[in-house]
Amino acid sequence: RQRVAIARALVNQPSCLLADEPTGNLDEASAGLVFEMFMQLNQKYRTAMILVTHSRELASEAQTQLRLTNKRLTLV
């Protein structure tokens, strides 16, 4: 279901994508593939993305990272 929801969100090549835990219910390998697909979409179509994740490993791949800790948002 998670992969179908992601495909549905990407099918129209949106100019902006908001994703809350898009890889949360996926195994590590699938999560990596999905995140790589997001990055390719960003580069190819210049799609702006806001991805929320608890995975620091995936977040470390993003161009810009913000961390919410104790109700404070900080640039990483």
Side-chain angles (χ1 to χ4, degrees), residues 8-68:
R8 200 172 344 135
L10 300 176
V11 74
N12 292 322
Q13 299 172 354
S15 58
C16 182
L17 179 68
L18 306 175
D20 183 13
E21 293 288 349
T23 60
N25 294 324
L26 302 176
D27 61 86
E28 190 174 319
S30 295
L33 290 172
V34 166
F35 194 78
E36 180 61 32
M37 183 178 55
F38 283 155
M39 294 300 102
Q40 289 174 2
L41 181 71
N42 172 258
Q43 290 178 355
K44 185 173 182 179
Y45 298 107
R46 306 303 295 160
T47 302
M49 296 185 191
I50 298 175
L51 304 176
V52 177
T53 183
H54 282 91
S55 171
R56 289 187 184 196
E57 183 178 335
L58 287 179
S60 69
E61 300 294 323
Q63 290 176 340
T64 303
Q65 298 174 48
L66 299 172
R67 184 167 296 145
L68 181 62

